[in-house]
Amino acid sequence: MPGGTPIHALSGRIVPFVTKVLIDCDPGIDDALALALAAGSPSLEIVGITTVGGNVDLSMTTANALALREFLDLGDVPVTPGSAGALLPQTVRAAHVHGESGLGGAVLPAPVRDVSAGHAVDFIIDALKAAPGEITLIAVGPLTNIALAVRREPRIVEWARDLVIMGGSYTRGNHNPAAEFNMLADPEAAAIVFAAGWTVKQLGLDVTLSAVVTSAVLDRMRPLGRLSELLVPAAQFYGMVTAEGGPAIHDACAVAYVLDPSLFAAVPAVVNVETAGTYTRGMTVTDFKVADRRPNALVTTSLDVKRFWDLVLGAYEGLAARLG
Ligand code: BDR
Ligand code: CA
C-alpha cells in the first residue's frame, strides 16, 4: 500500500515505502498545489514532470513547471514539454480561471534552469519502460500526452504501476453542464486513455469539488513562510474563500489518492468519453452497472475532507519547514 510503513524483510528496520510518480500537468493553480503536495510528501519520488497545453498555452504551463521545480526545491527532477494542442484542432483554455500566467496571483522567481531535451511522450514511454511496474502516472491536465504515449507504445499500460487522473465526473461538468475541463480540452485523447486497457483511477468533480480552500484552511496556509507566497495568492485568485466554501484544488486530489487511497470511496465502472455530442462532447458517461464487462475505471465517489486537509496541510507544513 503506497505511503505505508513496512518492515524491511532482512534487516527488520522500519523503512517507508516510496512510490515513484510521473506527473503530467498544465500548471495551473491547482496543478501547482498538487506539485507542492507531492514535493512535501517524503513517500513520493517524483521521477519527472511533463507538461501539456491546457489551462494556458504549453509555453506558459512549461514555464510555470520550471518555476515550480525551483520554488518547491525539486532538485534535478526533469521537466519535459509535451503537446501544445489537442489531438483534433480545437483549443479550450481556462485563463479566465487561472489567470493569464496560469498561476493566478502568485508570482514566482524566474527559473534558472531550462527544460530537458526531448518530448514528454518519449519521456513517459522511456521512463515506464525503464522501470516496469514501478511508476504511477498522475495526469492532471488534458490527456493528450498520455493518449499519444499509449498510441505509440501500447505496452505502457502494463508498465505503469497505476494511472491516476483528475478529470470527468458522473454527475456534472464545470466548463459546461456536461463536461469537465480536462476532458473537454481533448475528448479524443480522453477516449483513447479510458479505452487503453488499464483501470483508470478517476478523481472527478464528484469528489474534487469537496476539496475546497475555506478560510480555516487558508489561515493554516498563511504562516507557511515562502511557501505561503505561492499558496495564498494562488488560492485567493482561484475563488472566493469563505468560512463555508472556497475554490476546489482538484488536482491535489489525484496526488492525495496516490498517498492514501483510503481517503476516498471508489466504485468500479465502465466509463466512455463522449466525442460526438452537440451538447455533451467531453462528458464521461459512467456506467456503474458493470455486469460481465471489464471495468475500465475505478471512479471515486466521496472524499473524507477532514483527513484530506490533514494530509495536505501536513505535507505543506513539512515542505515549508524545508523551504524556510
Ligand atoms: C481541472 O481543470 C483545470 O482547470 C484544473 O487545473 C483541473 O485540472 C478541473 O476541472
Ligand atoms: Ca490541471
Side-chain angles (χ1 to χ4, degrees):
M1 179 73 53
T5 311
I7 297 180
H8 191 276
L10 295 178
S11 67
R13 279 180 305 116
I14 293 185
V15 285
F17 270 128
V18 171
T19 303
K20 295 181 180 176
V21 293
L22 195 168
I23 303 178
D24 188 71
C25 57
D26 61 335
I29 290 173
D30 56 332
D31 304 73
L33 301 196
L35 287 170
L37 172 57
S41 301
S43 64
L44 297 185
E45 177 190 340
I46 306 174
V47 301
I49 297 170
T50 52
T51 57
V52 63
N55 287 316
V56 286
D57 287 347
L58 179 70
S59 58
M60 205 64 96
T61 61
T62 304
N64 290 340
L66 290 172
L68 286 160
R69 171 174 68 181
E70 293 180 21
F71 185 81
L72 299 172
D73 198 19
L74 289 173
D76 292 334
V77 170
V79 172
T80 312
S83 309
L87 297 184
L88 295 186
Q90 62 158 57
T91 305
V92 181
R93 296 282 178 254
H96 59 291
V97 179
H98 298 262
E100 290 304 320
S101 77
L103 293 183
V107 181
L108 303 184
V112 175
R113 284 174 300 134
D114 206 348
V115 294
S116 296
H119 192 282
V121 170
D122 298 315
F123 182 87
I124 291 167
I125 294 170
D126 293 346
L128 295 176
K129 183 175 188 177
E134 288 183 30
I135 298 174
T136 293
L137 269 178
I138 301 178
V140 293
L143 291 169
T144 320
N145 289 335
I146 312 295
L148 288 170
V150 163
R151 275 287 161 92
R152 187 171 309 160
E153 178 46 273
R155 287 177 295 176
I156 70 164
V157 170
E158 292 142 42
W159 295 336
R161 172 175 169 155
D162 217 341
L163 169 65
V164 180
I165 72 159
M166 189 283 131
S169 163
Y170 59 90
T171 53
R172 52 167 296 170
N174 60 355
H175 206 79
N176 65 39
E180 182 278 329
F181 174 79
N182 289 337
M183 302 292 100
L184 184 68
D186 197 343
E188 282 69 26
I192 289 169
V193 169
F194 272 98
W198 39 27
T199 304
V200 178
K201 307 303 180 317
Q202 187 189 0
L203 289 296
L205 297 172
D206 321 291
V207 294
T208 65
L209 282 171
S210 49
V212 295
V213 180
T214 59
S215 38
V217 170
L218 197 64
D219 285 346
R220 283 188 63 186
M221 293 176 171
R222 288 184 205 282
L224 296 183
R226 278 189 66 219
L227 185 58
S228 69
E229 294 166 22
L230 165 67
L231 302 181
V232 175
Q236 284 176 324
F237 185 96
Y238 206 24
M240 168 99 78
V241 178
T242 69
E244 292 81 33
I249 59 166
H250 309 276
D251 293 345
C253 292
V255 175
Y257 180 89
V258 177
L259 287 165
D260 185 356
S262 80
L263 296 172
F264 301 85
V267 180
V270 174
V271 176
N272 287 296
V273 182
E274 177 60 83
T275 54
T278 305
Y279 303 107
T280 54
R281 191 169 147 74
M283 184 177 184
T284 44
V285 180
T286 305
D287 194 348
F288 289 110
K289 290 190 184 133
V290 170
D292 55 359
R293 294 174 295 169
R294 192 192 77 79
N296 64 346
L298 188 63
V299 178
T300 51
T301 54
S302 69
L303 167 66
D304 185 330
V305 176
K306 183 187 174 310
R307 286 179 56 224
F308 170 81
W309 280 117
D310 286 346
L311 177 84
V312 174
L313 291 168
Y316 288 169
E317 283 158 8
L319 178 62
R322 223 172 69 212
L323 297 181

